[in-house]
Amino acid sequence: MSGSYFPKCVALSALLVLSVGALDTFIAAVYEHAVILPNRTETPVSKEEALLLMNKNIDVLEKAVKLAAKQGAHIIVTPEDGIYGWVFTRESIYPYLEDIPDPEVNWIPCRDPGRFGNTPVQERLSCLAKDNSIYVVANIGDKKLCNASDPQCPPDGRYQYNTDVVFDSQGKLVARYHKGVDFTPQKQSRGTTTTWKQRVVSCYQN
């Protein structure tokens, strides 16, 4: 883990998200770890098995979050695919996905975990941020139902997104960024939109 100062263009955006406009700089921790992977990514597992694996990786992230906060970091950026791994099929990734609401709903999952259905991963990430008074950036999966009225709706009736989320130091969901486009089984793509505030997350990838 390393504490660092982000480049000026990213810092200016992140300052608004962090709500620390009175500060000239902020301390960010960027963390990588050896992700605990499922035994087979091409075979679907139960939601219980998926959550068990994700909690093992979040256990690792929890130690990093606590250390970063102790060292004075205002925000910690956790790894791409750091919670469930990679090389999934469309079907086998589904048990790992949660419905991630628009941040405009003003939601702290740690305090109100059942508001948007079963969201244990968002609840835990929110509590990590809240309990350690630090912003947490994490990469998880989002799912959105659709129907025949949408001509691009996949046959299985849902969009699936590789998603970055940000929880503030109170545990509130403040950003959701659907990375790139969602590819349907017919190779069609669905573009996504974000608010200006959410674009700070995309800066971490460039």
Side-chain angles (χ1 to χ4, degrees):
M1 180 190 304
S2 63
S4 62
Y5 292 97
F6 276 20
K8 184 177 180 181
C9 68
V10 179
L12 290 175
S13 300
L15 282 174
L16 292 181
V17 175
L18 288 169
S19 300
V20 289
L23 300 179
D24 293 328
T25 58
F26 66 93
I27 300 173
V30 180
Y31 179 72
E32 292 282 350
H33 76 282
V35 179
I36 301 170
L37 301 173
N39 292 328
R40 298 180 64 185
T41 56
E42 72 277 10
T43 304
V45 299
S46 68
K47 295 188 73 67
E48 291 75 18
E49 290 177 276
L51 182 58
L52 180 63
L53 175 78
M54 291 189 286
N55 273 326
K56 289 180 179 179
N57 281 304
I58 297 175
D59 286 343
V60 177
L61 296 179
E62 181 174 5
K63 297 176 183 178
V65 170
K66 290 181 175 179
L67 180 58
K70 185 177 181 180
Q71 293 179 347
H74 299 99
I75 183 171
I76 181 169
V77 182
T78 62
E80 172 83 7
D81 299 324
I83 291 180
Y84 48 70
W86 50 87
V87 195
F88 290 91
T89 67
R90 178 176 177 81
E91 291 73 26
S92 66
I93 191 64
Y94 185 68
Y96 297 85
L97 308 181
E98 293 184 356
D99 186 4
I100 306 171
D102 189 308
E104 297 300 325
V105 298
N106 190 25
W107 181 43
I108 300 177
C110 189
R111 292 181 178 172
D112 189 9
R115 183 177 172 189
F116 294 98
N118 186 32
T119 55
V121 172
Q122 293 173 82
E123 177 187 355
R124 191 163 179 200
L125 292 172
S126 168
C127 290
L128 283 180
K130 176 179 174 293
D131 294 345
N132 295 282
S133 300
I134 188 173
Y135 279 64
V136 174
V137 181
N139 179 238
I140 58 179
D142 190 9
K143 58 183 179 181
K144 291 287 177 282
L145 296 179
C146 57
N147 55 48
S149 64
D150 179 354
Q152 291 188 332
C153 182
D156 56 15
R158 63 180 183 262
Y159 290 104
Q160 300 181 174
Y161 299 98
N162 180 12
T163 307
D164 283 344
V165 292
V166 182
F167 295 93
D168 72 9
S169 56
Q170 301 300 313
K172 178 181 175 181
L173 177 67
V174 294
R176 176 196 65 185
Y177 177 71
H178 290 153
K179 302 177 64 178
V181 296
D182 172 75
F183 289 94
T184 72
Q186 292 78 26
K187 305 299 182 182
Q188 296 173 319
S189 63
R190 172 186 171 92
T192 62
T193 58
T194 60
T195 66
W196 189 92
K197 181 185 291 186
Q198 292 167 329
R199 290 181 190 140
V200 66
V201 185
S202 68
C203 294
Y204 300 141
Q205 306 163 58
N206 296 334

